[in-house]
Amino acid sequence: MERYYSEVLSYIARSVGCKDKAQNIVQEAYTRLLSYQRSNPKQDKTQERALFFKAAKNIVIDQYRKNQPIAEPDEVELIAPSFYEPEAKLASQQQLTLLNRSIESLPLKTKQAFVLYKFKNLNQAQIAEQMGISVSMVEKHLATAMLACRQALKKQ
């Protein structure tokens, strides 16, 4: 593991922005790995480098989490997600209405291919087989439908 020390050190130093902190972190990772190797002597030695990097990264993450302030329950502001707001809900409903109109106005085969693809989760080969057309024709129908949906949303 000694041969990976400087490599891990430079990686962690870039992550934390301080060489002194990085040295402490890498030293801690090194001691953790040595302890792990002593308790598991039959462990695979081919992954030492990856384990060293992972252990050091985990220590950085742990330290970051420790430094994050924990809000008291009464200090936490309860805010509903934006999709519960009336304006957002109305906008979503309007978009759905536009998309429904756009889909309904499609030619029959295009609409059928689009519905099978988007709502029935069939792949293009399955759609081609079910509709009795080629896969390239299915692709053309889907492209036409997607373009119509995009244009309907742009008009909004």
Side-chain angles (χ1 to χ4, degrees), residues 72-91:
E72 294 298 318
D74 56 341
E75 293 177 7
V76 175
E77 188 175 333
L78 299 175
I79 300 174
S82 64
F83 57 83
Y84 284 125
E85 294 177 10
E87 297 87 14
K89 207 168 189 175
L90 179 63

Side-chain angles (χ1 to χ4, degrees), residues 97-110:
T97 302
L98 283 172
L99 287 173
N100 273 335
R101 282 188 200 146
S102 177
I103 293 168
E104 287 301 320
S105 69
L106 292 172
L108 182 62
K109 292 273 188 186
T110 304

Side-chain angles (χ1 to χ4, degrees), residues 5 9 19-29 59 63:
Y5 184 87
L9 178 63
K19 191 163 183 151
D20 291 333
K21 285 182 185 177
Q23 286 175 334
N24 291 338
I25 291 168
V26 173
Q27 186 63 39
E28 175 66 25
I59 292 169
Q63 287 183 355

Side-chain angles (χ1 to χ4, degrees), residues 33-46 48:
L33 288 176
L34 284 178
S35 172
Y36 176 74
Q37 285 178 345
R38 283 190 193 119
S39 62
N40 298 304
K42 294 183 180 182
Q43 169 222 326
D44 182 19
K45 302 280 186 190
T46 61
E48 281 183 339

Side-chain angles (χ1 to χ4, degrees), residues 45-63:
K45 302 280 186 190
T46 61
Q47 300 297 320
E48 281 183 339
R49 180 177 178 270
L51 282 172
F52 200 179
F53 272 94
K54 187 70 175 172
K57 264 178 42 176
N58 287 343
I59 292 169
V60 171
I61 292 168
D62 290 345
Q63 287 183 355

